[in-house]
Amino acid sequence: MPRKTDRAATLTGNETELKLALPSDDPADLASRLSRVAVLKRRKPERQLLHTTYFDTPQQHLRRAEAALRIRRVETTAAPRWLQTLKTGARGSSALSRRGEWEAPVDGPALESGALDAKAWARIDPDGSVFDTLGPCFITAFTRTIWMVRSRGGSLVEVALDIGSVTSGERSAPICELELELKSGPVSALFDIAQKIAGSVAVLPLAMSKAQRGYALATDTIHAATTAAPPRLASGMALQDTARLVLCEMFGQFTANLHALIRSDDPEVVHQARVAWRRLRSARRLFKSVLPTLEQPDWAALGPLLAFLGDQRDLDVARTETLPPLQDAFVAGSADRAQAWDTMMLSLMQAGVEQRIAVRYALEVPAVGACLLQATRWLDAAPARLAAASSDAPSLRRWASERATRIHARLKRANKAAHDPQALHDVRLLAKRVRYSIEALRGVLPQRMVRKWYPETVDMQKRIGAERDLEQAIHVLEQVEARPDLTAYLRGVVAGRRMH
C-alpha cells in the first residue's frame, strides 16, 4: 500500500529532454565508442545501476492522464538512494519532449503521498481516491553511464547512455538509448551535442518514453506498426501551425516504425514506414509555399535506407498478398508445379530474411540518424521560421480547398492521358498524394470534396496498384531465379487483366 507521509518534494520543474535510440548490434561496446566521441572524450563518466518500478491503477488512470509515477533505486559507489518521481504531459510524436517533473527522495520502494507535489498531483487525483489504488505495473532495470557536458556558452547537458531492459510480467524488451537532458541553457545545446555524437554513432530519434514502452509491453504492442493518426485541425488555425502539426505527426510515424524495425519482422511495420515516408514527402510538397527553404535536412541521406525498404516491401507483398491467390491456378493438380511453387516461396522467404538484414544495416549508418536528427531539430524550430515565412498566408480553409482542388484536377488530367504502365504508375503516385492531402486536411476541407474525392482516389490507387504489384512480383521472381514457367504464368495473368 502507498504510504502517506509529510515528506515534501524537493525538486520541481520542467524536464527538457532529447531521446535517441541506438540501433547497435553490440550494446556492450557503446559506452567505449561514445567515450571516444570528441564532445565526450575528455569527460569522466559516472556509472549507476538503476532499478525502477512504475505505478498505476488497474484502470491505468495515470496513463490516461498522460502522467507517470515511479520509484527508482539508484545504486552507486555510495549507499543506494530511492527517488520518487512524477512526470506529467504527453511526449507526443517528437524525440524532443518538455514535461513537468517533480522528484523527491523517499525511504524505500513504497510510494509516499507526502513526496508528491500537491498542486501537480491534485490535477490528476483531486479527491485522493487514485493514490490509494496505485500498484506496480512494470519495471525497468538498466546501467546508466553519464557524461556532463558544459559548453563555453554556459549551457549544461547531461548525456546518459541507458542499457538494460523493461519487464512486464513474463514479457521483456531491451533498452538501448541515449538521453540528453538540458540542465541549463538553450534547447539548441541538446541538438548541437547530439549532432556531434551522430557523426560517428548511429542514432534514431525516439519519441516513446520508458513508461510508454512499459505500457506497450504489457499489451504486447511494443514492436507493433504505428499507423497514421492525422491531427485534428480547426478552420481558425494558422497555416504555419497546421503545417508543423501535420509534418510532426507524419515524421513521428516514420521514426516510430524505423525504431520498431530494429526488432520486428512484421511486414506491416515495413509497410507503415513506407506509408509514413510517402505521407511526409507529400506534405512537404503540399506545404512547400509556406515552408522555409533554408536549413532543411539533407533528405538524400535516407536514399539507401528507403531503397532497402522498397525492396523489402516488394518481397513481402509478393509472398503474402500477390502470389498466394494464384497458387491453385498454377499448380492445377501437378506435383511438379506444386514443388516449383513451394521452392519459389521458400526462396522468397529466404530473400526476405536477407533483405531485413540489409534494412537493419542501413539503420546503423550514422548518416541516416544524422539526417533524422536534423529533421527533428528543423521541426522543433519550425514555428518561428514558418511564422516569418507565412505572415500574409491566406485562411486555412480557403488555402486547403484551393490546394486540394488543384491537385485533384491534375490527377484527373493524368488519368485520362495514361495509356502505358509507367503512366499508370505515375497516376497511382499522384492518387496517393491526393489521398494523403485529403487525410491531412480532412477537418478543414468542404465535406463534399472529402465524400466524393477520397473514395475515388483510394479506389484508383488500389486498382492500379494490383496490376503494379503483379509486375513487381515478376521482377522479384526474376531476382530469386524462379523457374521460367512461373514468371511466364504471371506475365500471362498480367496480359489477361489488361485485355479485360
Side-chain angles (χ1 to χ4, degrees):
M1 289 292 292
R3 293 195 302 170
K4 299 183 178 181
T5 70
D6 294 326
R7 187 192 303 271
T10 58
L11 177 63
T12 65
N14 292 313
E15 174 194 63
T16 301
E17 179 183 86
L18 180 63
K19 187 183 287 288
L20 304 170
L22 299 168
S24 172
D25 60 355
D26 185 13
D29 186 49
L30 279 170
S32 60
R33 288 178 59 194
L34 286 166
S35 290
R36 294 193 293 271
V37 175
V39 72
L40 304 177
K41 191 172 183 179
R42 289 182 291 275
R43 306 177 193 276
K44 185 178 180 180
E46 175 190 352
R47 286 181 175 80
Q48 301 174 343
L49 296 178
L50 305 180
H51 186 281
T52 309
T53 302
Y54 288 80
F55 296 83
D56 207 339
T57 68
Q59 297 77 29
Q60 295 188 350
H61 182 94
L62 298 189
R63 181 187 65 81
R64 289 185 284 107
E66 299 181 342
L69 180 61
R70 74 189 188 204
I71 288 187
R72 172 169 288 173
R73 186 180 75 238
V74 183
E75 297 183 7
T76 61
T77 54
R81 294 181 294 123
W82 298 86
L83 296 172
Q84 180 173 297
T85 306
L86 171 67
K87 293 190 179 186
T88 60
R91 287 189 60 92
S93 59
S94 176
L96 181 71
S97 66
R98 298 173 175 88
R99 307 180 69 191
E101 181 184 60
W102 294 264
E103 188 170 84
V106 290
D107 292 330
L111 290 174
E112 298 182 15
S113 61
L116 293 169
D117 181 86
K119 290 183 179 179
W121 185 252
R123 290 191 289 269
I124 301 169
D125 183 17
D127 61 3
S129 60
V130 171
F131 186 82
D132 292 332
T133 59
L134 293 171
C137 50
F138 50 87
I139 64 173
T140 63
F142 53 90
T143 299
R144 169 166 287 181
T145 306
I146 300 172
W147 297 264
M148 300 302 296
V149 181
R150 187 182 299 275
S151 72
R152 292 180 180 177
S155 64
L156 180 63
V157 174
E158 178 186 280
V159 180
L161 169 65
D162 294 341
I163 297 179
S165 63
V166 54
T167 303
S168 176
E170 299 297 319
R171 299 190 182 104
S172 182
I175 292 172
C176 185
E177 65 189 34
L178 204 60
E179 292 182 355
L180 288 79
E181 183 175 348
L182 187 66
K183 299 298 185 179
S184 64
V187 173
S188 59
L190 294 177
F191 288 104
D192 290 341
I193 294 171
Q195 286 180 321
K196 292 174 182 176
I197 293 172
S200 56
V201 178
V203 302
L204 285 178
L206 179 62
M208 185 179 284
S209 67
K210 292 182 178 70
Q212 289 171 323
R213 271 184 282 174
Y215 287 117
L217 186 64
T219 56
D220 200 22
T221 58
I222 192 167
H223 300 310
T226 299
T227 57
R232 292 187 178 183
L233 304 179
S235 58
M237 291 178 61
L239 181 54
Q240 59 267 28
D241 293 336
T242 302
R244 181 176 183 272
L245 276 176
V246 170
L247 289 166
C248 283
E249 182 274 325
M250 293 172 175
F251 183 72
Q253 183 196 4
F254 182 56
T255 55
N257 284 297
L258 292 185
H259 181 252
L261 281 171
I262 298 173
R263 305 287 176 187
S264 176
D265 292 333
D266 184 359
E268 185 62 16
V269 176
V270 174
H271 177 49
Q272 290 302 325
R274 297 186 73 238
V275 167
W277 174 253
R278 290 196 298 265
R279 293 177 67 229
L280 180 63
R281 185 174 57 186
S282 175
R284 283 163 40 214
R285 297 181 68 172
L286 178 68
F287 292 106
K288 184 177 180 180
S289 61
V290 298
L291 290 176
T293 56
L294 299 177
E295 300 179 16
Q296 287 207 27
D298 179 15
W299 300 108
L302 301 181
L305 170 64
L306 295 171
F308 285 144
L309 287 172
D311 291 342
Q312 181 69 64
R313 180 59 180 164
D314 288 343
L315 283 163
D316 290 341
V317 170
R319 183 176 61 85
T320 64
E321 299 178 22
T322 305
L323 295 176
L326 304 175
Q327 178 179 0
D328 291 344
F330 175 78
V331 172
S334 168
D336 176 63
R337 287 196 293 271
Q339 183 178 3
W341 188 276
D342 291 342
T343 300
M344 171 199 68
M345 295 300 285
L346 180 60
S347 296
L348 290 178
M349 184 176 296
Q350 292 172 339
V353 171
E354 294 172 359
Q355 189 62 33
R356 287 186 188 280
I357 295 173
V359 168
R360 286 168 181 150
Y361 173 79
L363 290 173
E364 294 183 25
V365 175
V368 169
C371 173
L372 297 174
L373 188 58
Q374 287 176 351
T376 303
R377 185 174 196 166
W378 179 65
L379 290 170
D380 180 70
R385 293 201 306 266
L386 290 178
S390 309
S391 57
D392 59 347
S395 72
L396 176 58
R397 185 177 293 275
R398 179 164 64 87
W399 179 88
S401 180
E402 290 175 352
R403 292 294 297 175
T405 300
R406 191 181 310 164
I407 191 173
H408 183 261
R410 182 181 169 189
L411 173 62
K412 289 177 64 176
R413 292 193 300 269
N415 191 39
K416 288 181 180 179
H419 301 297
D420 61 75
Q422 183 56 50
L424 284 171
H425 180 56
D426 293 340
V427 169
R428 182 191 183 195
L429 296 179
L430 191 54
K432 289 180 180 180
R433 281 187 60 196
V434 176
R435 173 184 178 178
Y436 298 146
S437 297
I438 292 175
E439 289 175 346
L441 302 172
R442 183 189 296 268
V444 294
L445 285 174
Q447 287 306 297
R448 58 180 176 79
M449 288 186 180
V450 177
R451 287 193 297 268
K452 182 179 180 182
W453 293 352
Y454 188 74
E456 286 179 355
T457 57
V458 171
D459 179 70
M460 187 182 299
Q461 176 187 336
K462 290 182 177 179
R463 175 171 46 82
I464 300 174
E467 182 174 325
R468 177 74 175 179
D469 289 344
L470 264 175
E471 294 170 347
Q472 289 300 106
I474 293 172
H475 175 70
V476 165
L477 294 192
E478 291 173 341
Q479 293 296 108
V480 299
E481 299 181 350
R483 249 172 49 169
D485 56 341
L486 276 164
T487 53
Y489 165 63
L490 291 186
R491 289 193 179 93
V493 173
V494 171
R497 290 185 178 179
R498 286 178 181 168
M499 290 177 63
H500 177 72

